[in-house]
Each structure stands twice: as C-alpha cells, then as structure tokens.
Amino acid sequence: MTADDTFSRLDDDDYPAYTMGRAAEMLGTTQGFLRAIGEAHLITPLRSAGGHRRYSRYQLRMAARARELVDQGTPIEAACRIVILEDQLEEAQRINAEYRRAAKSANPTAAA
C-alpha cells in the first residue's frame, strides 16, 4: 500500500486508523472501557501485524454512544445491546428509505 492509498483510506469510516490509546484519549475513557465493550461484542477492533488493536471512526462513534449510556447509569452489557439495536434500526430505516425512493422512481404515477 502506498502513502497515497493510506491517505485516501483515512476518509473511510471503516478504516482502522486509531490505536487503542488514541481511541481512549479521543473518547475521554480508559483502555479498559474499550476492552469491556469489545468483550460485550459491541465492537471488534482489527489487529495490526503486531497484534495491537486498531479502531475505525465508525467503531469510535459506537463506543462514544455506549459511554454516554454507561455515564447515565446503564450497565455496560445493556448499553452495548442498546447501541447495537439503535444501529440496526438506523440501517433498516436507511434501507427502507432506499426501497421507497426506488419504488417511487420506478412508478412515479403510483406515488401521486
């Protein structure tokens, strides 16, 4: 991978660009919290060649939402489940909206 390839991947929400230490710093939490949400199956960080955890921006958004819920008193396992369900709902709504747009485009007179 060239430097240009790496730079272009930084715009990718799923590119594992952040180390555990940097991710914890960005979220204002501990590395232990990141391990705990990994154990609760909220996120699964990719591993570098040396075995170090790497996190994507998408994973950091999920972790930030879980932290918000935990800070409000929700147990970590429940917080992770809530975040997973919220994410699934958002994806289902996005797909549903795409189907509606496609159906409307395919048959514009039926939508009127």
Side-chain angles (χ1 to χ4, degrees):
M1 183 177 285
T2 67
D4 287 338
D5 291 338
T6 300
F7 184 71
S8 68
R9 300 258 351 240
L10 293 177
D11 288 336
D12 182 353
D13 248 11
D14 296 317
Y15 182 68
Y18 303 97
T19 63
M20 177 181 266
R22 179 68 179 129
E25 180 183 314
M26 290 170 68
L27 295 171
T29 190
T30 64
Q31 293 181 13
F33 177 80
L34 292 173
R35 284 187 205 94
I37 63 174
E39 291 170 11
H41 305 289
L42 175 61
I43 57 176
T44 303
L46 290 167
R47 299 282 183 148
S48 69
H52 300 284
R53 291 174 177 88
R54 297 282 189 257
Y55 297 89
S56 68
R57 288 187 300 190
Y58 170 76
Q59 290 173 324
L60 294 183
R61 283 195 304 276
M62 301 281 282
R65 175 67 179 132
R67 174 155 187 239
E68 184 181 301
L69 291 168
V70 168
D71 287 350
Q72 294 172 2
T74 306
I76 197 162
E77 294 82 11
C80 290
R81 185 66 183 142
I82 289 167
V83 173
I84 289 167
L85 291 170
E86 287 174 343
D87 190 56
Q88 289 172 342
L89 176 60
E90 184 179 318
E91 178 67 7
Q93 288 172 330
R94 185 192 63 76
I95 291 168
N96 194 8
E98 284 180 16
Y99 285 144
R100 285 186 180 147
R101 279 191 297 277
K104 192 174 186 178
S105 295
N107 193 1
T109 57

